Amino acid sequence: MADGSTERDARTNGALEHPRQGRWLAFRGAELLLTDTGTLPAGDALAALGCLPLRIQSLGIPPEAGAGTGLPCHAAELPADAEPPPGTAFTHLKRLNDHLPDGLRRLAARALELIEWDRAHQFCGACGAPTVQDGDAKVRRCTDPGCGREHYPRVSPVIIVAVERGDEILLGRSYHFAPGFYSTLAGFVDAGESAEEALHREIQEEVALRVRNLRYFASQPWPFPHSLMLGFHADYDGGNVVCAEDEIEHAAFFHIDALPASLPGPSTIAHWLLRDFCRRRGRAWPPA
């Protein structure tokens, strides 16, 4: 089915009756289905799964996806027990991030967030009535005439900050990190907070430090499950590192010439913050 009206007819509250033409960003949880050559599978590969996607979202024809000229892309949520067809494999998107082309990585992040939004808003959070999606518009509307609330994809702001002290940078590790892995500190923005207020609070709560001279750096969508990372640089302004026992296993200031060996990969904003910190001090990072 190639035309939009037929695609809409195939949808029943987000479910797919049979695969359509085009390329698919098909997820089993947060695992993306790719061919053995690292490309997106086509509709016939979805048919070879032997099961129907639980729900779909149209992504249009994104030119940056490397999916083939003129081919539409679709996001699909697959059953938890789906097995990959021959010539394909499931891989967690976090493991793929540093290996996917930029355009495909951004598209995969959007696809995963839309699938999560679609799954989590099948029913109205205000009254409990079923919701419906009109065509490909990214909004689910409550079917109760007395409610009618609209549910859009959720975005949760998160601050992430490189705290600098001369040629040192503050890095920490949470209890769920891989052994030896460190990163810049981050935390969600609370209701009623500005990003700057959240930054001061998080650094105080997590490591008992004061910071000053906040400088906005960049932002990055992070689809686990629906965050928007807001990156900052800040200067140390006092205090001793005291880790919050329930959040931070270890944190310390690391000299630019003695950074931990295991740090965030190049697709992450934490990596960008570290690289910029080193660049401004005349160092190449990661080292050659």
Side-chain angles (χ1 to χ4, degrees), residues 35-111:
T35 69
D36 290 345
T37 58
T39 59
L40 298 176
D44 53 356
L46 267 290
L49 283 167
C51 61
L52 297 176
L54 301 177
R55 51 189 51 87
I56 59 170
Q57 286 292 324
S58 171
L59 301 173
I61 306 176
E64 74 277 15
T69 303
L71 288 175
C73 289
H74 317 289
E77 179 185 358
L78 301 176
D81 59 354
E83 293 295 331
T88 67
F90 285 109
T91 306
H92 198 287
L93 188 56
K94 283 186 178 179
R95 290 180 55 195
L96 289 171
N97 264 345
D98 290 336
H99 307 289
L100 294 176
D102 288 346
L104 181 53
R105 182 174 63 246
R106 290 192 296 270
L107 186 66
R110 173 171 170 76

Side-chain angles (χ1 to χ4, degrees), residues 20-273:
R20 305 175 296 182
Q21 294 178 356
R23 298 289 180 173
W24 288 84
L25 291 102
F27 286 90
R28 185 181 64 183
E31 295 177 314
L32 178 63
L33 184 68
L34 291 176
T35 69
D36 290 345
T37 58
T39 59
L40 298 176
D44 53 356
L46 267 290
L49 283 167
C51 61
L52 297 176
L54 301 177
R55 51 189 51 87
I56 59 170
Q57 286 292 324
S58 171
L59 301 173
I61 306 176
E64 74 277 15
T69 303
L71 288 175
C73 289
H74 317 289
E77 179 185 358
L78 301 176
D81 59 354
E83 293 295 331
T88 67
F90 285 109
T91 306
H92 198 287
L93 188 56
K94 283 186 178 179
R95 290 180 55 195
L96 289 171
N97 264 345
D98 290 336
H99 307 289
L100 294 176
D102 288 346
L104 181 53
R105 182 174 63 246
R106 290 192 296 270
L107 186 66
R110 173 171 170 76
L112 186 56
E113 290 200 44
L114 289 176
I115 288 170
E116 164 64 18
W117 157 74
D118 194 10
R119 181 197 61 76
H121 290 86
Q122 295 291 302
F123 296 91
C124 179
C127 72
T131 63
V132 294
Q133 184 177 355
D134 295 333
D136 291 329
K138 300 306 182 257
V139 57
R140 296 192 66 88
R141 294 184 175 86
C142 177
T143 56
D144 185 338
C147 178
R149 181 165 296 195
E150 297 181 337
H151 300 273
Y152 291 88
R154 173 182 171 185
V155 176
S156 300
V158 177
I159 59 91
I160 181 167
V161 55
V163 178
E164 304 172 9
R165 188 173 67 181
D167 284 343
E168 297 177 317
I169 186 168
L170 178 68
L171 300 172
R173 52 176 286 102
S174 77
Y175 292 97
H176 68 269
F177 283 179
F181 182 86
Y182 282 81
S183 184
T184 50
L185 300 188
F188 284 97
V189 178
D190 280 350
E193 274 188 329
S194 68
E196 293 81 2
E197 290 168 337
L199 192 158
H200 285 286
R201 175 184 55 77
E202 283 289 340
I203 296 302
Q204 178 63 41
E205 289 178 353
E206 293 190 353
V207 289
L209 296 181
R210 300 186 303 276
V211 295
R212 62 180 177 82
N213 191 24
L214 278 57
R215 289 97 67 196
Y216 174 75
F217 175 69
S219 64
Q220 181 187 34
W222 190 247
F224 303 106
H226 39 62
S227 301
L228 177 63
M229 309 297 292
L230 305 173
F232 288 85
H233 288 286
D235 294 334
Y236 168 78
D237 194 39
N240 298 313
V241 174
V242 179
C243 296
E245 293 184 358
D246 59 339
E247 292 190 56
I248 306 297
E249 181 182 19
H250 180 252
F253 281 97
F254 290 85
H255 191 272
I256 192 170
D257 295 324
L259 296 175
S262 183
L263 291 167
S267 64
T268 66
I269 193 169
H271 178 103
W272 308 342
L273 284 163

